[in-house]
Amino acid sequence: MHKFTVYATLAVFLTGAFFAASALPCRAQDVAAIAPGDATTHINTKNMPLYLDEGLVAKNADFSKFARVRAKALDRNHRLARSRMQIIKQADGSFLARYHAIDMDSIVTKVSRSKSKTIPFVGVMRFCELVMEATGESPAACRAAEFTPVTVIPNRQIFSYKKGTWQ
């Protein structure tokens, strides 16, 4: 029993010494120092990070919805919309159909705060307008044909948030 106690004590001692020796390099590692922030700097809308500005985040979401509705209305009411496509007879007797469509996947919005007291937010909507064309032997064949984009027209519209609505 005496030998067992000696061996157990020796095993615990060596094991503890082994872990202590392997822990030394960890203590010698450099640790990044964290300095306290400057408590004199007050956070306001000018120096606030964008992700913390809840008003701006809410207006950005609101403007994105508004921009989608606006783009659908522009697409529907365009002078050369699909319902009012232009069909031209070519010199060889075939017909060329052309209309304009707004690419809904190209809509990009950005909202920023304004310096104005009456207009707190300004929104910018960017999108692409596609000119679509198809050919056929008759106007009816043109309408039924597969249209392909031939021209991309970039557009940008600026809106202001005034009296609770985007204008």
Side-chain angles (χ1 to χ4, degrees), residues 103-120:
D103 182 12
M104 296 296 174
D105 294 331
S106 69
I107 297 173
V108 178
T109 60
K110 183 180 179 187
V111 176
S112 57
R113 287 193 178 271
S114 171
K115 293 179 181 178
S116 171
K117 292 181 181 180
T118 58
I119 301 172

Side-chain angles (χ1 to χ4, degrees), residues 5-6 11 14 47 50 85 97 99 111 132 138 152:
T5 307
V6 171
L14 290 176
N47 63 3
L50 293 178
M85 72 175 65
Y99 72 92
V111 176
M132 309 291 283
S138 67
V152 177

Side-chain angles (χ1 to χ4, degrees), residues 27-41:
R27 290 184 198 142
Q29 289 179 349
D30 292 332
V31 178
I34 300 173
D38 185 7
T40 60
T41 303

Side-chain angles (χ1 to χ4, degrees), residues 7-160:
Y7 287 129
T9 307
L10 186 59
V12 170
F13 176 74
L14 290 176
T15 307
F18 174 74
F19 285 128
S22 66
L24 285 176
C26 290
R27 290 184 198 142
Q29 289 179 349
D30 292 332
V31 178
I34 300 173
D38 185 7
T40 60
T41 303
H42 299 288
I43 294 179
N44 58 24
T45 57
K46 292 180 182 176
N47 63 3
M48 183 183 301
L50 293 178
Y51 64 91
L52 290 179
D53 191 351
E54 294 175 1
L56 189 60
V57 170
K59 288 300 175 232
N60 201 354
D62 183 42
F63 184 67
S64 293
K65 291 176 189 173
F66 168 79
R68 290 237 174 251
V69 171
R70 178 73 178 198
K72 286 179 184 176
L74 287 172
D75 191 34
R76 186 177 52 250
N77 297 325
H78 196 286
R79 183 177 62 89
L80 293 174
R82 185 171 181 128
S83 61
R84 293 179 291 278
M85 72 175 65
Q86 183 180 30
I87 299 176
I88 304 167
K89 187 169 184 173
Q90 302 293 311
D92 62 355
S94 65
F95 290 87
L96 173 71
R98 179 181 302 137
Y99 72 92
H100 291 228
I102 293 177
D103 182 12
M104 296 296 174
D105 294 331
S106 69
I107 297 173
V108 178
T109 60
K110 183 180 179 187
V111 176
S112 57
R113 287 193 178 271
S114 171
K115 293 179 181 178
S116 171
K117 292 181 181 180
T118 58
I119 301 172
F121 299 100
V122 174
V124 178
M125 176 177 73
R126 291 185 301 142
F127 60 92
C128 292
E129 181 180 339
L130 303 174
V131 178
M132 309 291 283
E133 286 186 357
T135 58
E137 296 299 320
S138 67
C142 283
R143 286 187 181 92
E146 183 176 336
F147 285 84
T148 57
V150 293
T151 308
V152 177
I153 303 168
N155 285 282
R156 180 177 23 188
Q157 293 186 353
I158 301 171
F159 298 92
S160 60

